[in-house]
Amino acid sequence: MTDSNSATPSNFIRQIIDNDIANGKNDSKVRTRFPPEPNGYLHIGHAKAICLNFGISKDYQGTCNLRFDDTNPAKEEARYAQAIKEDVTWLGFKWNELLHTSDYFQQLYDYALILIEQGDAYVDALSADQIREYRGHLTKVGKNSPHRDRSIEENLDIFKRMKAGEFADGEYLLRAKIDMSSPNMNMRDPAVFRIRHIEHHNTGNDWCIYPMYDYAHCMSDMLESITHSLCTLEFEDHRPLYDWFLDKLPVPSHPQQIEFSRLSLEHTVTSKRKLKQLVDDDAVDGWDDPRMPTLSGMRRRGYTPESIKDFISRVGVTKSSNTVEMSLLESCIREDLGQRCARVMAITNPLKIILTNYPEDRVEMMNAPFHPQKPELGSRELPFTRELIIDQSDFMEEANKKYFRLKPGGSVRLRYGYIIDFESVIKDDSGNIVEIRCTYDPETKSGQDKSGRKVKGVIHWLSAEQAKPAEVRLFDRLFTEATPDVGHGDQSFTDFINPHSREIFTNAMVEPSLFDAKPGSLFQFERQGYFVADAKDHKQSEKLVFNRTVTLRDTWAKIAK
Ligand code: ATP
Ligand code: MG
């Protein structure tokens, strides 16, 4: 039974499991696994598979293994395996056992010998091109390889010599003997073991033959006594093969494969191959670039595990196509950060303000709470001085009536400070604004204002002398198209990279309290958005670096309207 405290919504997979438990199938036990291939970093799509597999094992008091599906040593690396472990742990899940398909190479080999002995597998000697040609296609039945009826003794002999390293890559191939005229292409004598003289990141040079995914996957599930093998829909047509191996071989259990739809996110790509291309082409700064939909990129961007799990739960688990708007993900992180983040002041494009009637050596400390609804987050003192800075966007020389921030002849309130009144604007020889001169109204100090003055605009500010220099990085969608990799004919997804996906402000200033911010800590910069102190660059050589996680409101929705 499902844990009654769990808020996880049910879905068709949970219903299947409920039924199996009710019928006593698998002794009413639930064992799942998450089987990534260590050939890249995990992305938001994987988060769906992780939450599903680990979530089910947790709610049904079962187990979930992390199994590296490492059967293709040419593309796999130990650093990817390491990053995958970090990401799963960061999301808050604990695996029961940490395993590798390569842990089973010997068993997979031994079971292959049984297939051969039973007459269910044979060694082929056709070239890759010939195999493709013999296979036929959807409307053309395949034809049998001339080596299909090789004797069992000869098959055993060659297969053992394949393992012993006597042959070159591609010289021989072990194939399951199924049906070359099957309407399901996966059943036309699929490959079981191939020769690859490549070192493996886990087994070194122990093996020069490697099992194929379809064979290795069902067998690994069986060897781990997995009860429900959850995978994405593209494996639906592989299920007959999954079952064929387990039916043919004398195995103690037969896991059930159940497919669900892949998660895709608009304005990005969720394929390790394509993400790797972005990294290799230097279109981004590595796998953990904050614009990447990888879990490590999202972490660096300021996404929390809670927001990602909330998003996955809202997306749900079905068999129907699952391309989700970015705005759903963004509203999940906004909601989470709105609850937990301190509000602080930061200015990306500083503009100097001189308060001509404020004494030069005076410093007033303005008490400001970190969160208006959360007194438990405490408060800090903001230094108020004669020279201040505001954001350039908060002053407009030729402003209309609806502009309530600072403008010639206008007044504005400095949040937690005073009302200031415009006096003059000072420009350099080329006409660029150097500073704005204002006066402050001493009767209007926040919290003690009895002046009765009302102004419509409230803006944020910093003391020019006491603010800290910082670099602020703003991010936007990585792709201008909602589905960059679908439906664009000959164009590549890389043709739709958003050239404005990152904007860096190197002259930004932040309030003094942020000088002590730890890498990874999250804030709301008032009126601007949620930001995180960059995990890599913040405070390297004293430089403060903040990444914008998300804006305060959905600015894209407005543009779309
Ligand atoms: P990619 O195309 O990005 O390489 P993959 O399916 O080849 O994806 P694996 O490492 O084999 O990546 O995936 C591990 C598990 O995560 C598999 O069970 C797979 O079905 C699941 N998975 C991968 N991508 C998604 C996705 N977009 N949505 C849901 N589950 C996914
Ligand atoms: Mg894969």
Side-chain angles (χ1 to χ4, degrees):
M1 274 294 110
T2 317
D3 183 340
S4 57
N5 294 326
S6 161
T8 317
S10 190
N11 55 51
F12 77 98
I13 295 178
R14 285 173 181 258
Q15 282 159 14
I16 292 173
I17 294 177
D18 286 338
N19 250 321
D20 289 348
I21 290 175
N23 295 330
K25 192 175 165 188
N26 309 307
D27 295 328
S28 298
K29 293 277 191 299
V30 177
R31 286 179 294 267
T32 58
R33 84 290 169 265
F34 172 61
E37 187 178 352
N39 61 351
Y41 282 58
L42 298 181
H43 51 64
I44 185 72
H46 291 110
K48 177 175 176 180
I50 294 171
C51 291
L52 183 62
N53 281 295
F54 283 94
I56 281 177
S57 83
K58 185 161 171 258
D59 290 346
Y60 289 89
Q61 287 91 45
T63 57
C64 181
N65 293 337
L66 174 59
R67 182 204 310 147
F68 289 111
D69 168 26
D70 55 353
T71 53
N72 186 1
K75 291 197 172 155
E76 293 154 8
E77 292 179 31
R79 69 179 174 117
Y80 292 138
Q82 184 56 32
I84 289 170
K85 287 191 273 180
E86 282 169 21
D87 287 345
V88 172
T89 305
W90 176 69
L91 276 180
F93 295 111
K94 283 201 181 77
W95 49 84
N96 188 53
E97 286 188 85
L98 179 66
L99 299 162
H100 305 79
T101 303
S102 58
D103 299 335
Y104 311 128
F105 281 171
Q106 184 64 45
Q107 281 143 297
L108 294 172
Y109 173 78
D110 292 340
Y111 275 113
L113 291 175
I114 299 178
L115 280 178
I116 297 174
E117 283 161 4
Q118 292 176 171
D120 289 319
Y122 62 97
V123 175
D124 205 348
L126 293 181
S127 69
D129 283 342
Q130 288 170 316
I131 287 178
R132 205 169 306 124
E133 190 199 316
Y134 274 65
R135 232 175 139 223
H137 44 74
L138 277 179
T139 51
K140 185 175 172 231
V141 296
K143 60 179 183 192
N144 288 348
S145 163
H147 311 289
R148 201 174 196 260
D149 294 319
R150 211 192 279 283
S151 72
I152 289 174
E153 290 65 37
E154 201 180 342
N155 279 320
L156 284 172
D157 175 59
I158 305 176
F159 185 53
K160 287 175 184 169
R161 287 162 58 202
M162 281 166 67
K163 174 177 184 284
E166 287 188 28
F167 309 114
D169 290 6
E171 218 175 319
Y172 287 106
L173 180 71
L174 184 71
R175 300 178 73 175
K177 195 190 266 190
I178 308 181
D179 178 5
M180 289 306 289
S181 59
S182 170
N184 183 341
M185 298 295 289
N186 297 306
M187 302 301 272
R188 294 189 186 174
D189 291 10
V192 178
F193 263 97
R194 61 180 170 177
I195 304 174
R196 279 277 186 287
H197 289 273
I198 304 182
E199 188 171 302
H200 186 282
H201 73 97
N202 196 30
T203 57
N205 290 307
D206 291 354
W207 294 86
C208 64
I209 55 171
Y210 291 99
M212 302 303 289
Y213 175 87
D214 282 320
Y215 172 64
H217 198 80
C218 58
M219 297 298 285
S220 305
D221 283 346
M222 175 278 294
L223 289 165
E224 286 169 32
S225 304
I226 298 303
T227 56
H228 300 83
S229 177
L230 314 179
C231 65
T232 35
L233 271 178
E234 69 271 23
F235 293 105
E236 199 166 24
D237 289 346
H238 296 242
R239 190 177 351 120
L241 182 54
Y242 185 103
D243 290 332
W244 187 89
F245 285 119
L246 296 176
D247 287 340
K248 284 289 172 190
L249 285 163
V251 294
S253 79
H254 189 137
Q256 180 184 2
Q257 174 177 308
I258 306 171
E259 309 87 17
F260 60 94
S261 59
R262 289 178 89 85
L263 167 66
S264 319
L265 193 58
E266 286 189 349
H267 295 285
T268 191
V269 289
T270 43
S271 145
K272 279 180 283 180
R273 185 180 58 76
K274 290 172 189 158
L275 294 171
K276 183 168 190 298
Q277 190 181 334
L278 294 174
V279 173
D280 291 345
D281 293 353
D282 288 327
V284 293
D285 285 344
W287 287 97
D288 65 349
D289 185 301
R291 292 167 292 181
M292 291 279 269
T294 51
L295 295 178
S296 54
M298 294 175 73
R299 174 160 70 236
R300 202 169 158 203
R301 174 83 170 253
Y303 275 87
T304 58
E306 292 77 11
S307 65
I308 292 175
K309 288 190 269 195
D310 179 29
F311 170 69
I312 296 297
S313 137
R314 292 198 210 184
V315 161
V317 181
T318 64
K319 277 186 183 280
S320 47
S321 135
N322 205 195
T323 302
V324 181
E325 285 178 31
M326 188 71 96
S327 56
L328 180 64
L329 178 63
E330 290 179 343
S331 70
C332 292
I333 184 67
R334 251 183 226 118
E335 209 167 283
D336 187 30
L337 297 187
Q339 292 299 313
R340 65 166 84 207
C341 284
R343 273 70 169 149
V344 295
M345 308 262 225
I347 288 171
T348 38
N349 279 312
L351 171 62
K352 196 181 253 189
I353 303 280
I354 309 284
L355 302 178
T356 54
N357 62 341
Y358 198 88
E360 246 172 66
D361 48 5
R362 187 149 137 206
V363 181
E364 265 178 282
M365 298 311 277
M366 303 297 191
N367 187 264
F370 276 121
H371 194 298
Q373 284 94 43
K374 295 210 155 183
E376 65 272 24
L377 289 184
S379 64
R380 78 289 196 197
E381 304 287 323
L382 289 169
F384 189 92
T385 54
R386 175 185 166 91
E387 289 196 17
L388 302 174
I389 49 174
I390 63 168
D391 201 89
Q392 285 174 19
S393 64
D394 285 333
F395 172 74
M396 209 180 235
E397 222 176 347
E398 281 159 45
N400 65 20
K401 274 195 197 146
K402 287 196 177 147
Y403 189 81
F404 296 122
R405 292 168 268 166
L406 193 60
K407 58 187 171 187
S411 306
V412 75
R413 173 171 287 285
L414 300 179
R415 187 152 164 80
Y416 307 121
Y418 294 94
I419 292 177
I420 60 171
D421 301 293
F422 178 87
E423 205 176 74
S424 62
V425 50
I426 309 296
K427 296 183 179 176
D428 64 14
D429 294 343
S430 348
N432 301 314
I433 298 176
V434 179
E435 63 186 44
I436 312 284
R437 296 195 178 165
C438 295
T439 53
Y440 86 108
D441 181 347
E443 303 300 311
T444 59
K445 185 168 178 174
S446 272
Q448 307 171 14
D449 185 351
K450 297 200 178 68
S451 72
R453 285 189 68 181
K454 291 255 181 308
V455 293
K456 283 211 166 149
V458 182
I459 63 174
H460 63 288
W461 54 276
L462 291 169
S463 157
E465 296 112 70
Q466 302 212 24
K468 304 288 179 191
E471 179 173 311
V472 165
R473 301 171 181 171
L474 306 187
F475 303 104
D476 204 341
R477 280 143 215 216
L478 194 46
F479 294 93
T480 51
E481 286 290 318
T483 55
D485 51 352
V486 185
H488 297 288
D490 290 343
Q491 281 177 289
S492 156
F493 69 102
T494 52
D495 294 337
F496 304 108
I497 292 179
N498 176 4
H500 308 295
S501 60
R502 182 175 67 183
E503 226 183 325
I504 298 184
F505 295 84
T506 49
N507 296 321
M509 302 290 276
V510 297
E511 66 170 69
S513 75
L514 286 181
F515 195 70
D516 299 320
K518 301 264 179 305
S521 46
L522 289 149
F523 304 92
Q524 184 192 103
F525 286 3
E526 290 213 27
R527 300 175 62 224
Q528 302 185 73
Y530 294 99
F531 287 75
V532 64
D534 188 72
K536 273 191 179 162
D537 302 335
H538 181 72
K539 283 232 161 171
Q540 292 300 312
S541 71
E542 291 299 280
K543 193 167 81 165
L544 310 185
V545 180
F546 295 93
N547 300 326
R548 185 171 69 195
T549 311
V550 68
T551 53
L552 289 180
R553 275 173 290 279
D554 186 354
T555 45
W556 275 73
K558 258 194 261 162
I559 293 168
K561 267 185 202 147

